[in-house]
Amino acid sequence: MKLGKMKYRGTIVVDIDGVLADFEKEFCEAFGYNSRHLYSLESRYPEHKDLIREFVANPVFYEDLAPIFGGLLFVRQAHARGWYILLVTSRDKSLRDVTKRWLEKYGVVYNEIMFAKNKREAIADYDAINPSRPVKIVVDDSVS
């Protein structure tokens, strides 16, 4: 649920897939558990690049992702302690509606959501526009 204005301690950026939603389980059930040490899905299965792109672009895939309760709890507690919650996802913008429905279904508290292929650039742009609540913490399943 999107939240209103208040004075914030700073911003926490939270990824959706792999932090709030269990994307990995569903993907592995469809494609297999090989090469899980590789972050890029297409690097895991180079022979299925087109099929993977089609799979991750399908809104139906995202509707029933299982929640990761530790991530949901972290976001709720952080917001209750005065942090601005910025969800940044590399999902395609065409998945906005299904993403918002999923967030609502699981009661995810957040202030803002961004869809960005390059999260690092999106965060830098956000910081430039919002100097009063800079990003202080990033929670993502990718170390990059």
Side-chain angles (χ1 to χ4, degrees):
M1 75 187 66
K2 190 168 180 186
L3 302 171
K5 294 188 173 206
M6 65 184 277
K7 184 171 169 84
Y8 294 101
R9 299 169 68 175
T11 299
I12 297 177
V13 169
V14 180
D15 182 25
I16 296 174
D17 295 317
V19 177
L20 302 176
D22 193 352
F23 177 94
E24 185 73 12
K25 178 180 178 287
E26 295 299 319
F27 180 82
C28 288
E29 285 183 4
F31 289 91
Y33 289 85
N34 300 338
S35 304
R36 288 190 65 201
H37 65 285
L38 298 173
Y39 183 74
S40 166
L41 303 177
E42 293 173 354
S43 295
R44 291 184 196 180
Y45 305 98
E47 68 278 9
H48 298 298
K49 286 183 180 182
D50 291 336
L51 187 57
I52 289 170
R53 285 187 197 115
E54 183 180 321
F55 185 82
V56 299
N58 184 350
V60 173
F61 166 71
Y62 297 92
E63 290 176 353
D64 294 321
L65 291 179
I68 299 173
F69 289 106
L72 301 181
L73 182 61
F74 170 78
V75 168
R76 286 184 190 130
Q77 290 178 345
H79 186 269
R81 288 177 171 80
W83 290 92
Y84 188 89
I85 306 300
L86 172 62
L87 302 180
V88 179
T89 182
S90 59
R91 290 180 181 186
D92 191 83
K93 290 178 183 173
S94 67
L95 298 170
R96 180 179 301 276
D97 291 341
V98 71
T99 299
K100 286 188 171 188
R101 283 193 306 271
W102 188 92
L103 294 167
E104 181 70 26
K105 177 179 178 179
Y106 290 105
V108 178
V109 294
Y110 66 97
N111 299 91
E112 189 175 345
I113 186 169
M114 293 174 62
F115 292 79
K117 289 300 173 194
N118 187 321
K119 292 180 191 176
R120 186 179 301 272
E121 286 179 11
I123 291 168
D125 291 346
Y126 173 87
D127 271 347
I129 295 169
N130 298 285
S132 64
R133 55 175 192 269
V135 173
K136 295 185 179 179
I137 300 169
V138 176
V139 182
D140 199 314
D141 61 323
S142 169
V143 295
S144 64

